[in-house]
Amino acid sequence: MKCLITQSIHKDGLTKLRDGGIEPILAPKADAATLAQLVRGCSAVITRDAGFPTTAFSAADQLRIVVVHGVGYDAIDMIAAAEQGVLVANTPGVNARSVAEHAFGLLLALARGIAPADTAERAGIAGFRESRRFTELEGKTALIVGWGAIGQRLGRMLDAFGMQILVYSPNAPDLNGYARCGTLESGLTQADVVSLHSPLRDGTHHLMNAARFAAMKPGALLINAARAGLVDETALADALQSNHLGGAALDVYSTNAPQGPLGDCSNVLFTPHLGATTEEALSRVACCAAEHVLSALSGDIPKTTLNPDVLADAQKALR
């Protein structure tokens, strides 16, 4: 059997597939046409942020499972998966430590102006430390939006730095003793730092919009290491250019955002989706994804399957 790898994954995951008798097929690029061509004859797919489009599902002739190398599955056509009887699973929590550490690093870099300070020093520009205000984290209030594995880890890190932690996550049953905000707005009005860790779905698209930026405290900082679609980037640029917000650090953003209005803001820090790219996290996620493939192809349903009813419906159809 074969497994299509839409984007490169850690060698440990490839080794696990081969040891399990599965041949990895490495896509040279992840566009829809290439995936539709290569998926023929493949029983499984492991994909990253390229997702898996409708045309690729339509071209599949043996596909049984698509595994997301990570948490977010908004780039997977779940309707097409259901129509084709294909399981879809993800790997939540496996890269949580790395993403939380990166979000913390973004916050510290933003609060202390680390990136522009380095740029100024390299350019021989004097007076940077007198050019802006810097702030400590201790004693400040952080609002964590989304209390999954990443949000929880970040909350504990910030708590250890002496920050007060607020949580907005309506579906989280247990906040481990941290304070819950009844509404997002109530948290925004109190927070010096807002860090986004919510999945992207219909109800969270542009979760942070003009009205919610206006509700934030003057000078507050925004961190987004989750999904670009959570933020209305035009509204964010307006809030930054008006100096209402103190800054933003973004690990996810729309294509070419650093070359647009957000890039013109000196108080924005961009990183190219680095949150889960540590060697440790890449190995863990690739191995977990490979295990899901092996499990599904042996007839089991991986624990993190997002549409387990697909298999049950297929079995009913065969009776």
Side-chain angles (χ1 to χ4, degrees):
M1 290 186 283
K2 300 177 180 179
C3 177
L4 175 61
I5 312 295
T6 69
Q7 296 155 285
S8 63
I9 66 172
H10 196 277
K11 59 181 176 59
D12 291 349
L14 299 177
T15 298
K16 186 172 287 289
L17 287 173
R18 293 189 181 104
D19 289 346
I22 306 297
E23 177 187 358
I25 304 298
L26 309 181
K29 51 185 180 178
D31 63 283
T34 299
L35 298 183
Q37 179 182 5
L38 293 180
V39 75
R40 297 186 183 95
C42 292
S43 301
V45 168
I46 295 176
T47 186
R48 298 180 70 174
D49 55 352
F52 206 66
T54 307
T55 52
F57 275 110
S58 299
D61 55 355
Q62 299 182 32
L63 190 59
R64 293 165 60 182
I65 186 168
V66 173
V67 180
V68 179
H69 182 285
V71 181
Y73 56 93
D74 45 282
I76 306 291
D77 189 331
M78 297 297 289
I79 295 175
E83 291 174 347
Q84 298 291 328
V86 176
L87 294 175
V88 178
N90 62 354
T91 55
V94 185
N95 60 16
R97 173 175 290 280
S98 287
V99 179
E101 287 182 357
H102 189 67
F104 175 74
L106 288 175
L107 171 56
L108 194 59
L110 192 62
R112 301 304 297 269
I114 292 173
D118 175 76
T119 299
E121 287 298 291
R122 291 175 186 272
I125 300 172
F128 176 80
R129 67 182 185 182
E130 291 80 30
S131 69
R132 61 177 68 191
R133 296 177 60 189
F134 308 101
T135 184
E136 294 180 346
L137 300 184
E138 186 173 1
K140 305 299 190 302
T141 298
L143 172 64
I144 310 295
V145 181
W147 198 243
I150 297 169
Q152 291 178 42
R153 284 183 179 272
L154 179 62
R156 292 196 295 270
M157 291 177 190
L158 299 182
D159 188 6
F161 263 67
M163 297 191 75
Q164 178 183 351
I165 308 302
L166 302 177
V167 179
Y168 177 72
S169 187
N171 297 323
D174 183 6
L175 301 188
N176 308 114
Y178 292 110
R180 185 190 299 271
C181 296
T183 65
L184 179 56
E185 286 74 12
S186 67
L188 294 175
T189 61
Q190 302 176 67
D192 301 290
V193 174
V194 176
S195 193
L196 306 180
H197 301 284
S198 173
L200 180 62
R201 48 180 179 258
D202 290 342
T204 60
H205 182 257
H206 284 184
L207 183 73
M208 296 302 298
N209 52 34
R212 283 173 171 154
F213 288 129
M216 291 175 66
K217 292 174 64 173
L221 306 177
L222 176 74
I223 311 296
N224 187 10
R227 285 292 181 267
L230 297 174
V231 175
D232 181 337
E233 292 180 349
T234 299
L236 175 58
D238 290 343
L240 290 164
Q241 290 166 358
S242 69
N243 293 318
H244 176 62
L245 295 187
L250 309 173
D251 192 40
V252 287
Y253 37 84
S254 65
T255 304
N256 299 323
Q259 290 75 47
L262 279 175
D264 293 333
C265 300
S266 62
N267 51 352
V268 176
L269 176 62
F270 296 98
T271 55
H273 206 170
L274 293 179
T277 55
T278 61
E279 186 74 9
E280 297 87 346
L282 289 172
S283 175
R284 289 195 302 268
V285 177
C287 288
C288 182
E291 289 167 1
H292 285 349
V293 167
L294 295 172
S295 175
L297 297 187
S298 69
D300 295 328
I301 299 179
K303 291 182 179 179
T304 59
T305 297
L306 300 162
N307 58 348
D309 54 307
V310 164
L311 188 58
D313 291 343
Q315 291 172 340
K316 288 180 182 178
L318 294 174
R319 292 172 186 169

